[in-house]
mmCIF file of all heavy atoms in Angstrom:
data_model
loop_
_atom_site.group_PDB
_atom_site.id
_atom_site.type_symbol
_atom_site.label_atom_id
_atom_site.label_comp_id
_atom_site.label_asym_id
_atom_site.label_seq_id
_atom_site.Cartn_x
_atom_site.Cartn_y
_atom_site.Cartn_z
ATOM 1 N N THR A 1 17.612 85.158 14.323
ATOM 2 C CA THR A 1 18.082 83.999 15.043
ATOM 3 C C THR A 1 17.886 82.738 14.223
ATOM 4 O O THR A 1 16.727 82.433 13.893
ATOM 5 C CB THR A 1 17.388 83.885 16.429
ATOM 6 O OG1 THR A 1 17.574 85.123 17.136
ATOM 7 C CG2 THR A 1 17.894 82.729 17.236
ATOM 8 N N LEU A 2 18.945 82.066 13.965
ATOM 9 C CA LEU A 2 18.812 80.749 13.258
ATOM 10 C C LEU A 2 18.164 79.728 14.143
ATOM 11 O O LEU A 2 18.657 79.453 15.277
ATOM 12 C CB LEU A 2 20.155 80.255 12.807
ATOM 13 C CG LEU A 2 20.115 78.886 12.019
ATOM 14 C CD1 LEU A 2 19.371 78.964 10.756
ATOM 15 C CD2 LEU A 2 21.586 78.439 11.739
ATOM 16 N N ILE A 3 17.019 79.229 13.727
ATOM 17 C CA ILE A 3 16.267 78.270 14.565
ATOM 18 C C ILE A 3 16.591 76.825 14.120
ATOM 19 O O ILE A 3 16.837 75.983 14.933
ATOM 20 C CB ILE A 3 14.764 78.483 14.427
ATOM 21 C CG1 ILE A 3 14.421 79.889 14.954
ATOM 22 C CG2 ILE A 3 13.961 77.404 15.135
ATOM 23 C CD1 ILE A 3 12.973 80.317 14.721
ATOM 24 N N LYS A 4 16.556 76.572 12.789
ATOM 25 C CA LYS A 4 16.730 75.203 12.343
ATOM 26 C C LYS A 4 17.228 75.323 10.929
ATOM 27 O O LYS A 4 16.860 76.197 10.191
ATOM 28 C CB LYS A 4 15.410 74.490 12.383
ATOM 29 C CG LYS A 4 15.431 73.039 11.989
ATOM 30 C CD LYS A 4 15.986 72.177 13.010
ATOM 31 C CE LYS A 4 15.915 70.749 12.610
ATOM 32 N NZ LYS A 4 16.615 69.874 13.518
ATOM 33 N N THR A 5 18.031 74.341 10.533
ATOM 34 C CA THR A 5 18.457 74.144 9.159
ATOM 35 C C THR A 5 18.106 72.754 8.725
ATOM 36 O O THR A 5 18.223 71.805 9.529
ATOM 37 C CB THR A 5 19.952 74.491 8.903
ATOM 38 O OG1 THR A 5 20.242 74.310 7.541
ATOM 39 C CG2 THR A 5 20.863 73.615 9.787
ATOM 40 N N SER A 6 17.719 72.640 7.484
ATOM 41 C CA SER A 6 17.413 71.288 6.917
ATOM 42 C C SER A 6 18.674 70.488 6.810
ATOM 43 O O SER A 6 18.608 69.247 6.611
ATOM 44 C CB SER A 6 16.716 71.419 5.592
ATOM 45 O OG SER A 6 17.644 71.951 4.616
ATOM 46 N N GLY A 7 19.853 71.113 6.873
ATOM 47 C CA GLY A 7 21.086 70.435 6.521
ATOM 48 C C GLY A 7 21.069 70.245 5.006
ATOM 49 O O GLY A 7 20.150 70.623 4.284
ATOM 50 N N ALA A 8 22.085 69.616 4.517
ATOM 51 C CA ALA A 8 22.191 69.360 3.092
ATOM 52 C C ALA A 8 21.109 68.412 2.688
ATOM 53 O O ALA A 8 21.034 67.315 3.189
ATOM 54 C CB ALA A 8 23.558 68.860 2.674
ATOM 55 N N ILE A 9 20.263 68.803 1.760
ATOM 56 C CA ILE A 9 19.188 68.009 1.289
ATOM 57 C C ILE A 9 19.798 66.969 0.334
ATOM 58 O O ILE A 9 20.531 67.352 -0.580
ATOM 59 C CB ILE A 9 18.071 68.833 0.639
ATOM 60 C CG1 ILE A 9 17.465 69.820 1.660
ATOM 61 C CG2 ILE A 9 16.992 67.905 0.028
ATOM 62 C CD1 ILE A 9 16.487 70.831 1.073
ATOM 63 N N SER A 10 19.392 65.749 0.477
ATOM 64 C CA SER A 10 19.944 64.734 -0.473
ATOM 65 C C SER A 10 18.923 64.290 -1.402
ATOM 66 O O SER A 10 17.713 64.481 -1.280
ATOM 67 C CB SER A 10 20.499 63.586 0.353
ATOM 68 O OG SER A 10 19.429 62.973 1.123
ATOM 69 N N ALA A 11 19.385 63.621 -2.516
ATOM 70 C CA ALA A 11 18.479 63.191 -3.581
ATOM 71 C C ALA A 11 17.407 62.312 -2.990
ATOM 72 O O ALA A 11 17.573 61.509 -2.057
ATOM 73 C CB ALA A 11 19.302 62.336 -4.586
ATOM 74 N N GLY A 12 16.225 62.429 -3.554
ATOM 75 C CA GLY A 12 15.053 61.669 -3.166
ATOM 76 C C GLY A 12 14.275 62.216 -2.003
ATOM 77 O O GLY A 12 13.403 61.561 -1.458
ATOM 78 N N THR A 13 14.478 63.510 -1.658
ATOM 79 C CA THR A 13 13.708 64.088 -0.582
ATOM 80 C C THR A 13 12.471 64.740 -1.207
ATOM 81 O O THR A 13 12.486 65.676 -1.945
ATOM 82 C CB THR A 13 14.542 65.276 0.086
ATOM 83 O OG1 THR A 13 15.731 64.656 0.641
ATOM 84 C CG2 THR A 13 13.736 65.895 1.213
ATOM 85 N N CYS A 14 11.271 64.169 -0.885
ATOM 86 C CA CYS A 14 10.055 64.574 -1.537
ATOM 87 C C CYS A 14 9.599 65.989 -0.991
ATOM 88 O O CYS A 14 8.980 66.720 -1.681
ATOM 89 C CB CYS A 14 8.920 63.516 -1.410
ATOM 90 S SG CYS A 14 8.479 63.210 0.285
ATOM 91 N N ASP A 15 9.891 66.252 0.263
ATOM 92 C CA ASP A 15 9.503 67.551 0.839
ATOM 93 C C ASP A 15 10.338 67.849 2.083
ATOM 94 O O ASP A 15 10.963 66.859 2.640
ATOM 95 C CB ASP A 15 8.012 67.612 1.134
ATOM 96 C CG ASP A 15 7.549 66.561 2.105
ATOM 97 O OD1 ASP A 15 8.101 66.522 3.280
ATOM 98 O OD2 ASP A 15 6.654 65.829 1.775
ATOM 99 N N VAL A 16 10.353 69.063 2.525
ATOM 100 C CA VAL A 16 11.013 69.458 3.733
ATOM 101 C C VAL A 16 9.955 70.127 4.573
ATOM 102 O O VAL A 16 9.303 71.091 4.098
ATOM 103 C CB VAL A 16 12.205 70.414 3.501
ATOM 104 C CG1 VAL A 16 12.809 70.955 4.761
ATOM 105 C CG2 VAL A 16 13.258 69.731 2.622
ATOM 106 N N THR A 17 9.784 69.672 5.829
ATOM 107 C CA THR A 17 8.679 70.179 6.643
ATOM 108 C C THR A 17 9.254 70.725 7.971
ATOM 109 O O THR A 17 10.125 70.042 8.573
ATOM 110 C CB THR A 17 7.672 69.015 6.947
ATOM 111 O OG1 THR A 17 7.159 68.558 5.714
ATOM 112 C CG2 THR A 17 6.520 69.594 7.781
ATOM 113 N N PHE A 18 8.793 71.832 8.384
ATOM 114 C CA PHE A 18 9.123 72.416 9.700
ATOM 115 C C PHE A 18 7.894 72.417 10.560
ATOM 116 O O PHE A 18 6.892 73.033 10.176
ATOM 117 C CB PHE A 18 9.706 73.826 9.557
ATOM 118 C CG PHE A 18 11.037 73.922 8.862
ATOM 119 C CD1 PHE A 18 11.019 74.061 7.486
ATOM 120 C CD2 PHE A 18 12.165 73.865 9.568
ATOM 121 C CE1 PHE A 18 12.292 74.122 6.824
ATOM 122 C CE2 PHE A 18 13.350 73.966 8.897
ATOM 123 C CZ PHE A 18 13.433 74.082 7.533
ATOM 124 N N ILE A 19 7.864 71.681 11.640
ATOM 125 C CA ILE A 19 6.693 71.578 12.552
ATOM 126 C C ILE A 19 7.071 72.032 13.938
ATOM 127 O O ILE A 19 8.066 71.560 14.453
ATOM 128 C CB ILE A 19 6.135 70.148 12.584
ATOM 129 C CG1 ILE A 19 5.694 69.656 11.183
ATOM 130 C CG2 ILE A 19 4.959 70.040 13.552
ATOM 131 C CD1 ILE A 19 5.292 68.195 11.157
ATOM 132 N N ASN A 20 6.277 72.965 14.526
ATOM 133 C CA ASN A 20 6.593 73.433 15.827
ATOM 134 C C ASN A 20 6.711 72.239 16.826
ATOM 135 O O ASN A 20 5.917 71.306 16.916
ATOM 136 C CB ASN A 20 5.463 74.368 16.339
ATOM 137 C CG ASN A 20 5.814 74.974 17.671
ATOM 138 O OD1 ASN A 20 6.977 75.398 17.837
ATOM 139 N ND2 ASN A 20 4.858 75.109 18.563
ATOM 140 N N GLY A 21 7.777 72.299 17.593
ATOM 141 C CA GLY A 21 8.029 71.223 18.613
ATOM 142 C C GLY A 21 8.753 70.011 18.081
ATOM 143 O O GLY A 21 9.211 69.174 18.858
ATOM 144 N N ALA A 22 8.887 69.849 16.811
ATOM 145 C CA ALA A 22 9.585 68.699 16.222
ATOM 146 C C ALA A 22 10.993 69.053 15.900
ATOM 147 O O ALA A 22 11.240 70.033 15.209
ATOM 148 C CB ALA A 22 8.828 68.184 14.957
ATOM 149 N N SER A 23 11.976 68.332 16.439
ATOM 150 C CA SER A 23 13.380 68.540 16.149
ATOM 151 C C SER A 23 13.769 69.968 16.405
ATOM 152 O O SER A 23 14.425 70.631 15.590
ATOM 153 C CB SER A 23 13.714 68.172 14.675
ATOM 154 O OG SER A 23 13.403 66.861 14.428
ATOM 155 N N ASP A 24 13.375 70.515 17.552
ATOM 156 C CA ASP A 24 13.775 71.870 18.014
ATOM 157 C C ASP A 24 13.237 72.998 17.138
ATOM 158 O O ASP A 24 13.758 74.081 17.179
ATOM 159 C CB ASP A 24 15.293 71.932 18.125
ATOM 160 C CG ASP A 24 15.870 70.938 19.041
ATOM 161 O OD1 ASP A 24 15.270 70.661 20.101
ATOM 162 O OD2 ASP A 24 16.915 70.349 18.722
ATOM 163 N N VAL A 25 12.221 72.795 16.323
ATOM 164 C CA VAL A 25 11.627 73.841 15.550
ATOM 165 C C VAL A 25 10.710 74.686 16.427
ATOM 166 O O VAL A 25 9.894 74.103 17.239
ATOM 167 C CB VAL A 25 10.856 73.294 14.358
ATOM 168 C CG1 VAL A 25 10.053 74.367 13.609
ATOM 169 C CG2 VAL A 25 11.816 72.592 13.393
ATOM 170 N N VAL A 26 10.806 75.969 16.295
ATOM 171 C CA VAL A 26 9.898 76.857 17.018
ATOM 172 C C VAL A 26 9.168 77.664 15.996
ATOM 173 O O VAL A 26 9.781 78.566 15.302
ATOM 174 C CB VAL A 26 10.657 77.828 17.962
ATOM 175 C CG1 VAL A 26 9.747 78.801 18.618
ATOM 176 C CG2 VAL A 26 11.437 77.004 18.990
ATOM 177 N N LEU A 27 7.867 77.416 15.736
ATOM 178 C CA LEU A 27 7.038 78.230 14.902
ATOM 179 C C LEU A 27 5.793 78.514 15.728
ATOM 180 O O LEU A 27 4.729 77.906 15.548
ATOM 181 C CB LEU A 27 6.705 77.432 13.630
ATOM 182 C CG LEU A 27 5.899 78.145 12.543
ATOM 183 C CD1 LEU A 27 6.612 79.440 12.082
ATOM 184 C CD2 LEU A 27 5.664 77.242 11.353
ATOM 185 N N ASP A 28 5.989 79.501 16.643
ATOM 186 C CA ASP A 28 4.912 79.881 17.520
ATOM 187 C C ASP A 28 4.996 81.325 17.741
ATOM 188 O O ASP A 28 5.496 82.073 16.901
ATOM 189 C CB ASP A 28 5.006 79.059 18.854
ATOM 190 C CG ASP A 28 6.350 79.285 19.574
ATOM 191 O OD1 ASP A 28 7.062 80.234 19.263
ATOM 192 O OD2 ASP A 28 6.583 78.553 20.564
ATOM 193 N N ASP A 29 4.584 81.855 18.923
ATOM 194 C CA ASP A 29 4.606 83.282 19.199
ATOM 195 C C ASP A 29 5.947 83.778 19.712
ATOM 196 O O ASP A 29 6.076 84.924 20.204
ATOM 197 C CB ASP A 29 3.474 83.665 20.168
ATOM 198 C CG ASP A 29 3.569 82.973 21.520
ATOM 199 O OD1 ASP A 29 4.502 82.219 21.717
ATOM 200 O OD2 ASP A 29 2.687 83.279 22.387
ATOM 201 N N THR A 30 7.003 82.959 19.728
ATOM 202 C CA THR A 30 8.332 83.386 20.147
ATOM 203 C C THR A 30 8.802 84.568 19.298
ATOM 204 O O THR A 30 9.387 85.523 19.799
ATOM 205 C CB THR A 30 9.375 82.239 20.033
ATOM 206 O OG1 THR A 30 8.892 81.152 20.816
ATOM 207 C CG2 THR A 30 10.724 82.683 20.466
ATOM 208 N N TYR A 31 8.490 84.513 17.967
ATOM 209 C CA TYR A 31 8.802 85.608 17.069
ATOM 210 C C TYR A 31 7.578 86.030 16.337
ATOM 211 O O TYR A 31 6.714 85.190 16.016
ATOM 212 C CB TYR A 31 9.862 85.176 16.075
ATOM 213 C CG TYR A 31 11.173 84.805 16.669
ATOM 214 C CD1 TYR A 31 11.421 83.456 16.979
ATOM 215 C CD2 TYR A 31 12.155 85.724 16.992
ATOM 216 C CE1 TYR A 31 12.671 83.059 17.597
ATOM 217 C CE2 TYR A 31 13.370 85.361 17.610
ATOM 218 C CZ TYR A 31 13.592 84.040 17.891
ATOM 219 O OH TYR A 31 14.779 83.718 18.458
ATOM 220 N N ASP A 32 7.464 87.282 15.974
ATOM 221 C CA ASP A 32 6.326 87.775 15.155
ATOM 222 C C ASP A 32 6.528 87.503 13.688
ATOM 223 O O ASP A 32 5.622 87.427 12.931
ATOM 224 C CB ASP A 32 6.106 89.270 15.346
ATOM 225 C CG ASP A 32 5.518 89.619 16.748
ATOM 226 O OD1 ASP A 32 4.858 88.747 17.319
ATOM 227 O OD2 ASP A 32 5.805 90.741 17.196
ATOM 228 N N VAL A 33 7.864 87.373 13.302
ATOM 229 C CA VAL A 33 8.195 87.130 11.910
ATOM 230 C C VAL A 33 9.135 85.931 11.803
ATOM 231 O O VAL A 33 10.058 85.825 12.591
ATOM 232 C CB VAL A 33 8.810 88.424 11.331
ATOM 233 C CG1 VAL A 33 9.250 88.190 9.868
ATOM 234 C CG2 VAL A 33 7.894 89.607 11.404
ATOM 235 N N TYR A 34 8.899 85.091 10.836
ATOM 236 C CA TYR A 34 9.833 83.978 10.522
ATOM 237 C C TYR A 34 10.260 84.106 9.079
ATOM 238 O O TYR A 34 9.443 84.469 8.202
ATOM 239 C CB TYR A 34 9.059 82.639 10.745
ATOM 240 C CG TYR A 34 8.886 82.332 12.191
ATOM 241 C CD1 TYR A 34 7.731 82.775 12.872
ATOM 242 C CD2 TYR A 34 9.823 81.649 12.933
ATOM 243 C CE1 TYR A 34 7.491 82.525 14.213
ATOM 244 C CE2 TYR A 34 9.646 81.426 14.291
ATOM 245 C CZ TYR A 34 8.446 81.864 14.938
ATOM 246 O OH TYR A 34 8.251 81.640 16.253
ATOM 247 N N GLU A 35 11.552 83.743 8.824
ATOM 248 C CA GLU A 35 12.068 83.733 7.455
ATOM 249 C C GLU A 35 12.545 82.374 7.151
ATOM 250 O O GLU A 35 13.186 81.694 7.986
ATOM 251 C CB GLU A 35 13.218 84.758 7.273
ATOM 252 C CG GLU A 35 12.762 86.136 7.185
ATOM 253 C CD GLU A 35 13.891 87.100 6.868
ATOM 254 O OE1 GLU A 35 15.052 86.679 6.818
ATOM 255 O OE2 GLU A 35 13.632 88.308 6.704
ATOM 256 N N PHE A 36 12.349 81.990 5.964
ATOM 257 C CA PHE A 36 12.924 80.691 5.433
ATOM 258 C C PHE A 36 13.860 81.080 4.279
ATOM 259 O O PHE A 36 13.406 81.678 3.306
ATOM 260 C CB PHE A 36 11.833 79.769 4.962
ATOM 261 C CG PHE A 36 10.901 79.403 6.121
ATOM 262 C CD1 PHE A 36 9.731 80.180 6.453
ATOM 263 C CD2 PHE A 36 11.145 78.238 6.864
ATOM 264 C CE1 PHE A 36 9.003 79.860 7.502
ATOM 265 C CE2 PHE A 36 10.373 77.928 7.945
ATOM 266 C CZ PHE A 36 9.257 78.736 8.286
ATOM 267 N N HIS A 37 15.089 80.724 4.400
ATOM 268 C CA HIS A 37 16.092 80.982 3.347
ATOM 269 C C HIS A 37 16.409 79.687 2.561
ATOM 270 O O HIS A 37 16.689 78.687 3.193
ATOM 271 C CB HIS A 37 17.421 81.471 4.007
ATOM 272 C CG HIS A 37 17.252 82.842 4.638
ATOM 273 N ND1 HIS A 37 18.220 83.784 4.598
ATOM 274 C CD2 HIS A 37 16.146 83.420 5.302
ATOM 275 C CE1 HIS A 37 17.849 84.899 5.225
ATOM 276 N NE2 HIS A 37 16.586 84.690 5.674
ATOM 277 N N PHE A 38 16.312 79.787 1.269
ATOM 278 C CA PHE A 38 16.514 78.687 0.368
ATOM 279 C C PHE A 38 17.873 78.863 -0.310
ATOM 280 O O PHE A 38 18.113 79.876 -0.903
ATOM 281 C CB PHE A 38 15.416 78.614 -0.699
ATOM 282 C CG PHE A 38 14.070 78.759 -0.092
ATOM 283 C CD1 PHE A 38 13.316 79.970 -0.282
ATOM 284 C CD2 PHE A 38 13.501 77.738 0.608
ATOM 285 C CE1 PHE A 38 12.073 80.112 0.298
ATOM 286 C CE2 PHE A 38 12.255 77.870 1.182
ATOM 287 C CZ PHE A 38 11.503 79.066 1.050
ATOM 288 N N VAL A 39 18.731 77.886 -0.195
ATOM 289 C CA VAL A 39 20.107 77.924 -0.751
ATOM 290 C C VAL A 39 20.329 76.865 -1.744
ATOM 291 O O VAL A 39 20.290 75.688 -1.414
ATOM 292 C CB VAL A 39 21.135 77.807 0.499
ATOM 293 C CG1 VAL A 39 22.595 78.008 -0.105
ATOM 294 C CG2 VAL A 39 20.814 78.858 1.534
ATOM 295 N N ASN A 40 20.478 77.271 -2.986
ATOM 296 C CA ASN A 40 20.816 76.376 -4.069
ATOM 297 C C ASN A 40 19.901 75.133 -4.145
ATOM 298 O O ASN A 40 20.319 73.997 -4.206
ATOM 299 C CB ASN A 40 22.329 75.953 -4.017
ATOM 300 C CG ASN A 40 23.254 77.116 -4.222
ATOM 301 O OD1 ASN A 40 22.948 77.996 -5.000
ATOM 302 N ND2 ASN A 40 24.300 77.121 -3.493
ATOM 303 N N ILE A 41 18.630 75.361 -4.165
ATOM 304 C CA ILE A 41 17.648 74.277 -4.306
ATOM 305 C C ILE A 41 17.766 73.736 -5.716
ATOM 306 O O ILE A 41 17.691 74.510 -6.672
ATOM 307 C CB ILE A 41 16.220 74.742 -3.988
ATOM 308 C CG1 ILE A 41 16.124 75.357 -2.570
ATOM 309 C CG2 ILE A 41 15.240 73.665 -4.215
ATOM 310 C CD1 ILE A 41 16.413 74.387 -1.490
ATOM 311 N N HIS A 42 17.868 72.443 -5.828
ATOM 312 C CA HIS A 42 17.975 71.768 -7.107
ATOM 313 C C HIS A 42 16.989 70.654 -7.165
ATOM 314 O O HIS A 42 16.964 69.742 -6.290
ATOM 315 C CB HIS A 42 19.432 71.191 -7.190
ATOM 316 C CG HIS A 42 19.748 70.679 -8.574
ATOM 317 N ND1 HIS A 42 19.563 69.351 -8.879
ATOM 318 C CD2 HIS A 42 20.264 71.254 -9.707
ATOM 319 C CE1 HIS A 42 19.981 69.101 -10.176
ATOM 320 N NE2 HIS A 42 20.384 70.298 -10.606
ATOM 321 N N PRO A 43 16.165 70.586 -8.188
ATOM 322 C CA PRO A 43 15.127 69.500 -8.294
ATOM 323 C C PRO A 43 15.657 68.294 -8.976
ATOM 324 O O PRO A 43 16.609 68.352 -9.756
ATOM 325 C CB PRO A 43 14.018 70.199 -9.128
ATOM 326 C CG PRO A 43 14.814 71.074 -10.045
ATOM 327 C CD PRO A 43 15.971 71.555 -9.283
ATOM 328 N N ASP A 44 14.985 67.188 -8.739
ATOM 329 C CA ASP A 44 15.316 65.966 -9.553
ATOM 330 C C ASP A 44 14.544 65.890 -10.804
ATOM 331 O O ASP A 44 14.932 65.256 -11.784
ATOM 332 C CB ASP A 44 15.157 64.673 -8.713
ATOM 333 C CG ASP A 44 13.741 64.254 -8.490
ATOM 334 O OD1 ASP A 44 12.840 65.055 -8.753
ATOM 335 O OD2 ASP A 44 13.515 63.108 -8.080
ATOM 336 N N THR A 45 13.342 66.579 -10.918
ATOM 337 C CA THR A 45 12.569 66.631 -12.077
ATOM 338 C C THR A 45 12.759 67.985 -12.775
ATOM 339 O O THR A 45 12.641 69.009 -12.130
ATOM 340 C CB THR A 45 11.065 66.438 -11.729
ATOM 341 O OG1 THR A 45 10.897 65.180 -11.063
ATOM 342 C CG2 THR A 45 10.197 66.484 -12.963
ATOM 343 N N ASN A 46 13.072 67.941 -14.054
ATOM 344 C CA ASN A 46 13.325 69.104 -14.792
ATOM 345 C C ASN A 46 12.217 70.128 -14.839
ATOM 346 O O ASN A 46 11.025 69.676 -14.907
ATOM 347 C CB ASN A 46 13.762 68.800 -16.197
ATOM 348 C CG ASN A 46 14.501 69.945 -16.922
ATOM 349 O OD1 ASN A 46 15.354 70.498 -16.336
ATOM 350 N ND2 ASN A 46 14.099 70.173 -18.133
ATOM 351 N N ALA A 47 12.506 71.421 -14.717
ATOM 352 C CA ALA A 47 11.527 72.489 -14.886
ATOM 353 C C ALA A 47 10.371 72.409 -13.860
ATOM 354 O O ALA A 47 9.225 72.517 -14.169
ATOM 355 C CB ALA A 47 11.010 72.515 -16.267
#
């Protein structure tokens, strides 16, 4: 079940945080397993 997406990350994003109860994030006992899928992550600092 898709719970939350960061949406397209834009330049200058220092971190992406998922906190239970913030912006509809559920990271509690609703599920025994949670997955985070990373799609085409690109850094601003090389290597």
Side-chain angles (χ1 to χ4, degrees):
T1 302
L2 178 63
I3 297 171
K4 183 75 176 173
T5 181
S6 66
I9 299 170
S10 59
T13 303
C14 63
D15 59 58
V16 176
T17 304
F18 294 88
I19 299 174
N20 186 41
S23 303
D24 303 321
V25 172
V26 176
L27 185 56
D28 60 12
D29 62 357
T30 303
Y31 299 95
D32 289 333
V33 177
Y34 289 88
E35 284 186 357
F36 298 88
H37 292 216
F38 313 106
V39 182
N40 295 324
I41 301 298
H42 188 268
D44 75 346
T45 301
N46 197 46

